[in-house]
């Protein structure tokens, strides 16, 4: 068992929970109830739910990595989450002048660190089998 991946999986599940149940009412529902054009609200809804799907798939993939070594899968997940982090940092600074109104970059970087360490370390089961 790869305990780094267990931690990353738990954070991905928590992040998705926060995204759906706290971010939905705070962000997604507000956008959907706004006077924005229906096409803009539609695109926003697709993007919102795409992030939900990505976080759920990443949680399942990370759970798989708890017992199975697959560095390529781990590094694809890392690349996407570094991209998410960069977007939050860039737009936080460029549009809001601070990183702390949208601190989601911190969770994505934390998951990235855990996943990277986990991808470099064999699971306990693999070490025991040697």
């Amino acid at each position: 068992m790869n305990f780094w991946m267990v931690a990353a999986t738990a954070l991905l599940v928590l992040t998705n929970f926060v995204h759906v149940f706290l971010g939905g009412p705070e962000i997604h529902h507000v956008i959907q109830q706004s006077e924005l054009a229906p096409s803009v609200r539609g695109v926003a809804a697709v993007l919102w739910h795409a992030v939900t799907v990505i976080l759920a798939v990443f949680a399942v993939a990370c759970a798989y990595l708890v017992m199975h070594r697959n560095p390529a899968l781990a590094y694809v997940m890392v690349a996407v989450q570094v991209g998410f982090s960069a977007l939050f940092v860039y737009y936080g600074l460029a549009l809001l002048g601070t990183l702390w109104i949208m601190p989601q970059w911190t969770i994505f970087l934390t998951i990235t660190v855990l996943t990277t360490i986990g991808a470099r370390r064999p699971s306990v089961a693999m070490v025991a089998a040697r």
Side-chain angles (χ1 to χ4, degrees):
M1 180 175 299
N2 189 319
F3 294 106
W4 296 100
M5 292 301 182
V6 170
T9 301
L11 282 178
L12 280 161
V13 169
L14 176 64
T15 301
N16 207 15
F17 179 87
V18 169
H19 172 75
V20 170
F21 294 106
L22 299 178
E26 182 180 333
I27 305 294
H28 178 62
H29 298 161
V30 173
I31 292 170
Q32 295 309 308
Q33 294 167 357
S34 74
E35 296 297 322
L36 291 169
S39 60
V40 174
R41 290 194 322 265
V43 169
V46 168
L47 293 173
W48 183 269
H49 294 300
V51 169
T52 305
V53 169
I54 289 168
L55 291 172
V57 169
F58 277 12
V60 170
C62 209
Y64 171 82
L65 293 173
V66 167
M67 296 300 289
H68 304 89
R69 186 162 158 65
N70 187 333
L73 174 60
Y75 293 133
V76 166
M77 292 170 46
V78 163
V80 171
Q81 291 182 86
V82 166
F84 285 173
S85 296
L87 290 169
F88 277 107
V89 167
Y90 175 78
Y91 286 105
L93 292 175
L95 297 179
L96 306 171
T98 179
L99 296 176
W100 302 111
I101 293 174
M102 296 190 304
Q104 292 90 330
W105 62 274
T106 60
I107 191 72
F108 288 117
L109 285 182
T110 302
I111 295 166
T112 292
V113 168
L114 293 170
T115 304
T116 300
I117 294 169
R120 294 170 158 254
R121 304 225 188 277
S123 70
V124 173
M126 289 178 201
V127 172
R130 288 184 186 171

